[in-house]
Each structure stands twice: as C-alpha cells, then as structure tokens.
Amino acid sequence: MVFPIAGGNESKGYEISNSLRFNDADSPHLTRTPSSSGNRRTWTMSCWFKKCEDGLNHTLFSTTGTQDIRFASNERLLVYGESKSIFNTNRLFRDPSAWYHIVVACDTTQSTASNRVKLYVNGTQETDFETNSQPSQNYDWNFNHTVEQGIGERVSTGGLNPHGYLADFHWIDGQQLDPTYFGETNDNGVWVPIKYTGTYGTNGFFMEFQQTGTSANSSGIGADTSGNDNHLTPANLAATDITEDTPTNNFATFNPLYVDRFANTKTLSEGNCEVDYPNSGNDGTAALTQAVDNGKWYIEMKVIDSAGFYPAVGSINENASQTVPYGRLSTGLAIAYDTNGTLKYENSNTSYGNSVSNGDIFQIALDMDNHLVWFGINGTWQNSATQTEIENSTATNDATTKVGEQTFLTDYDDITIFVGDVNSNGTANVQLNTGNPPFSISSGNTDGKYGNFEYAPPSGYYALCTKRLAEFG
C-alpha cells in the first residue's frame, strides 16, 4: 500500500485558509430558508471536499423535494432532482487524502438537454455516467426558492451527513458557470483554486469558514462573505470544527485504507483525526496519510483512553501487511512508546520515560535529517531531553540512542506515525493533531506559520502538511 506525500506542491497563488470539518455521527449541518425566490432554473455550486470515509452518503448541498448533490454511499457522485437521478457517475471517489473540487452548473432554460446540468471534478467535465437523465426544459428547482436549503444534510429527510472537510463553498444564483471561474491548472499540472471575482445573485453566498460562532450572522460558522449577508445557521458544529486543513494546505490524518494483520476493529472519526479501539485485545494500528524521508516534524496526540495506547514511528514497506510496526516481532521496522513509559524495539523493552494517562498530550519530534526521534508528555520531553538539544539534533537523550539503533529510520524512505491498540491490556482512544486538532487548544502555538498546537514545536520542526512538505520534506 502506498502512503503518498499528498499534494506536495507549494501554491503561490490564491490561498484557502480554512475548512469546516464534518463528523457524521454528530449530524452536523448548516441551513437557510430564503425570504424571497431567486432564479430557480439557473445556478452554480462550487466547493472543495475531502472525503474521509467510504460507504456513507456525504451531502454537499440539498433542498426540499429530495433535491441534493452528494457523494453517494456507493462512492459515486450524485445529482438528484425532478424525482430522479440527474447524474450518477461511473467514476468512484475513494481517496481519503485528496481534496476534490466539485462544480455543478445548471441552466434548465437550455434547449439542448445535455447543456442543462453539467458536473465537473477538478476542472474536468464528467461525461461517463451510470445514470444520465437531464431535467426537463425550464424545470424549476427548489434551490433558490423560499424553502429550506442545507449544507451537510439532506433537508427533506434529515441525515446523510458527511464525514470530511468542506472548503471554499460558493452558491451562485442566476448563472451557469464553468470551473475556470473557481480554479486553474498550475505549472505542475495540478488543479488549484483561484479567487472568484464574480457576483452571487439574490440568494447566492460564499462560505469561507473563518468564524466560530453558532448564530446565523457574520461571526458564525455559516457566515456569508459574498456581501449578500445570506448567513446560514450551523447545527451540531463547534469552534474545533474550523480547521486549517484545506485544498492549498492538506494536513496528514489517519488513513482509513491502512490495515495490518490484527483485527482492525478501529473506528475513525473527526475527519480521521480520532481513532477509537473498542475491544480489550489486539485491535490493530492506524497510520497517517503522509510519510516522510527527510525534514523535521512535530505531532501531538490527546489521549482519551490510555489503556492500550501505543504510539510509534516507523516504516511502511512491503512487509507491513505481515508485521506489526511496533517491533513485537523481530522486524526492526519501528519503535514504540508503551503506555507504561518503556520503549519497544524488536523484542526488547527499554525504560525511557513516564507512563501515559488519560487527558495527556503526547508529543513526537521526528528528525529525519539526522534519524532521531524524541517523545514528550504535556510539554516535558522524556529521558531528560531538552528543547535545546532537540533543536540542535543532539542525540544524547533521543529514543534511537536509548535503544542503540537507528536502522528503522535510516533503511527506509517511507517513515510515518502510527498509533494503536496491539495488546490485551485494554482499549485505546486517541485524538491526532498534525496541526489541525479536533480538540480545544488552550495556548495556540504554530510551527512558525502553520498549525495549532498545545505546546510550542521545537524550532525548525514543522506541522505535517503539504505546505511544509513542499518546503522541507
């Protein structure tokens, strides 16, 4: 299985600063009921979405009369209206590390049926459909009508809430626009966002997700920054759902596609930034979506249930499906920090630091330039290590020096972070912070420019995101 350095291109143009994280189990959504009708025949939706889970319906936008735009549970993109599937793609969308740019552009006044609704993904028009049934000419949608409209929920029935990240959401009333109004292909051949400079019409709006309030106003999560003040009302969303994980700076999360030889009973949530192992057994491991072979990286984890907590640093290679990346077998693929404070490498246990308790913030500083790694708890680096020696790459108190081995970092070029429950001592529940935490931060430290951390990263260590990977990875 390949663990890519996803989107490792540093954008020099338009930057999207925030996204909204949807956790489907919370039934999150935003709604608005227009006070007057706009153009019910002509409209455009443009947004970016990072899909975190397969097998779910991820509703992007909907209105009454069972009219919606969503990633369906069969992994296809669906546009539904006029009591039928307008489009249902043959193409499947399954990449949990990818941001997709979705544009749906409608004008039912068009005499040529194929021109009435157009669907684009990452700048390319979709033409291969399992279902292709254009609406009738002059069909009036309930979009832009005086009925409820909703992001993140099928308003006709409730539910079908997404699990993923939504960014740069434009709703255009009265225009059928192609994706070049919202994006372009850069010099690396990658579709990237650009600033939309057009108008929005009567019921149009623009969601930048830069505010954290819970009311339908300019300070709310659903603030409309188009100038129309068509604010949406958020429900079951909180300030921690506003993140820096965006199409122009993609942060590492847990990878739902990763499996190992154990039970794999884990449940991922909170935009794949939380992993829960429900059983007192060998429940397996979770690995990140991004791997590194150089640079210096800082990661935090909030420990909710520490009983079976095993964080580790190591390689994903061709043997990963046969071994556990904690060295419980004699493989030397990784080093782990046991919840009791010992290091696990190969079949040996080495005393290193303090035990981990519920509520702790566990820290990892990974120096791939010098092949060193340090572990910390609540701002204290273990084994008497100091921030200064970490910044200076002094190996005296790092974990590799303690176990007398660096090969798990030097012999492979696909090093990542793992966390799991691979013993029979209890359950584990952990929230990951590579810079976009799913939990409240009391201090608010960056890596100098990006991320949001409880403790200040050592100088020269960076959040695990595509901006920093492009600079230092």
Side-chain angles (χ1 to χ4, degrees):
M1 180 178 295
V2 175
F3 282 66
I5 297 176
N9 295 299
E10 186 179 4
S11 172
K12 300 295 185 182
Y14 176 63
E15 300 293 333
I16 298 175
S17 60
N18 292 96
S19 70
L20 182 59
R21 177 167 42 214
F22 288 83
N23 186 49
D24 65 294
D26 299 333
S27 300
H29 57 278
L30 304 103
T31 56
R32 174 179 178 265
T33 300
S35 59
S36 61
S37 289
N39 192 324
R40 298 175 60 188
R41 299 176 181 177
T42 306
W43 46 263
T44 300
M45 184 203 78
S46 168
C47 68
W48 290 80
F49 187 70
K50 183 163 78 165
K51 182 173 178 276
C52 288
E53 186 174 354
D54 291 339
L56 291 180
N57 284 283
H58 306 264
T59 304
L60 302 177
F61 197 53
S62 73
T63 186
T64 60
T66 318
Q67 300 174 10
D68 57 89
I69 302 163
R70 57 187 158 95
F71 287 95
S73 59
N74 60 5
E75 325 313 339
R76 305 173 193 272
L77 255 176
L78 174 69
V79 179
Y80 198 92
E82 202 177 24
S83 301
K84 63 183 180 181
S85 292
I86 305 298
F87 288 146
N88 193 8
T89 64
N90 277 319
R91 181 181 174 189
L92 304 181
F93 299 87
R94 289 174 166 166
D95 189 343
S97 66
W99 278 94
Y100 296 106
H101 182 220
I102 311 301
V103 174
V104 182
C106 177
D107 182 2
T108 63
T109 67
Q110 295 283 339
S111 58
T112 302
S114 60
N115 290 332
R116 291 174 195 156
V117 180
K118 298 178 181 180
L119 172 62
Y120 305 86
V121 179
N122 294 340
T124 300
Q125 185 172 356
E126 294 289 316
T127 57
D128 184 15
F129 297 104
E130 182 184 53
T131 303
N132 184 352
S133 181
Q134 289 280 350
S136 304
Q137 189 173 15
N138 295 318
Y139 170 63
D140 284 322
W141 297 77
N142 281 333
F143 291 126
N144 295 323
H145 192 28
T146 55
V147 293
E148 188 176 33
Q149 328 272 301
I151 293 174
E153 181 183 60
R154 197 179 198 190
V155 299
S156 293
T157 60
L160 305 191
N161 308 98
H163 182 208
Y165 300 80
L166 184 68
D168 216 49
F169 192 103
H170 299 266
W171 181 259
I172 314 296
D173 178 354
Q175 300 177 75
Q176 183 186 44
L177 302 178
D178 66 56
T180 61
Y181 285 82
F182 312 99
E184 65 183 6
T185 301
N186 68 12
D187 293 341
N188 297 309
V190 178
W191 184 257
V192 296
I194 61 173
K195 184 176 178 61
Y196 174 69
T197 58
T199 58
Y200 286 85
T202 301
N203 287 309
F205 55 84
F206 177 33
M207 302 281 106
E208 294 183 90
F209 305 121
Q210 295 183 353
Q211 305 298 324
T212 59
T214 56
S215 299
N217 55 38
S218 59
S219 298
I221 291 172
D224 169 27
T225 57
S226 71
N228 282 348
D229 288 334
N230 289 329
H231 309 300
L232 276 70
T233 301
N236 305 318
L237 291 161
T240 52
D241 296 316
I242 301 297
T243 88
E244 293 183 34
D245 192 336
T246 73
T248 55
N249 195 13
N250 195 357
F251 281 75
T253 65
F254 289 122
N255 190 340
L257 302 182
Y258 175 76
V259 295
D260 62 22
R261 73 178 186 88
F262 280 122
N264 293 293
T265 56
K266 62 181 177 288
T267 298
L268 299 181
S269 59
E270 297 294 345
N272 291 345
C273 287
E274 180 170 346
V275 59
D276 186 16
Y277 297 95
N279 301 315
S280 297
N282 295 327
D283 286 336
T285 58
L288 302 196
T289 53
Q290 295 173 4
V292 296
D293 58 8
N294 59 347
K296 299 179 180 181
W297 311 101
Y298 176 76
I299 289 171
E300 294 180 343
M301 302 178 194
K302 184 174 183 178
V303 182
I304 308 301
D305 186 348
S306 66
F309 174 58
Y310 272 73
V313 178
S315 172
I316 296 173
N317 68 2
E318 65 275 8
N319 297 319
S321 63
Q322 302 169 8
T323 62
V324 180
Y326 294 119
R328 289 169 63 100
L329 308 177
S330 322
T331 57
L333 285 173
I335 193 169
Y337 191 103
D338 197 332
T339 187
N340 65 13
T342 62
L343 297 177
K344 286 186 175 291
Y345 182 72
E346 294 185 331
N347 288 327
S348 298
N349 296 327
T350 304
S351 178
Y352 185 76
N354 297 326
S355 60
V356 180
S357 302
N358 293 355
D360 284 346
I361 301 295
F362 189 82
Q363 303 160 271
I364 299 175
L366 174 61
D367 179 353
M368 285 300 295
D369 293 334
N370 299 283
H371 305 106
L372 306 171
V373 60
W374 291 265
F375 299 110
I377 302 173
N378 298 331
T380 299
W381 294 104
Q382 301 300 288
N383 198 43
S384 301
T386 67
Q387 193 98 335
T388 299
E389 66 186 67
I390 294 173
E391 293 171 350
N392 293 334
S393 299
T394 304
T396 306
N397 295 305
D398 91 300
T400 70
T401 301
K402 190 69 173 180
V403 300
E405 186 60 77
Q406 287 186 315
T407 56
F408 66 95
L409 297 179
T410 60
D411 289 2
Y412 308 102
D413 59 2
D414 52 359
I415 303 302
T416 193
I417 308 300
F418 301 86
V419 66
D421 177 13
V422 291
N423 64 24
S424 56
N425 294 331
T427 60
N429 182 201
V430 181
Q431 293 179 323
L432 172 73
N433 181 14
T434 60
N436 61 325
F439 53 88
S440 296
I441 297 292
S442 63
S443 51
N445 296 287
T446 72
D447 69 357
K449 191 173 184 181
Y450 303 112
N452 184 19
F453 296 103
E454 185 64 41
Y455 298 99
S459 179
Y461 285 72
Y462 300 106
L464 194 51
C465 59
T466 52
K467 284 287 191 184
R468 291 311 199 185
L469 287 166
E471 292 178 89
F472 305 109

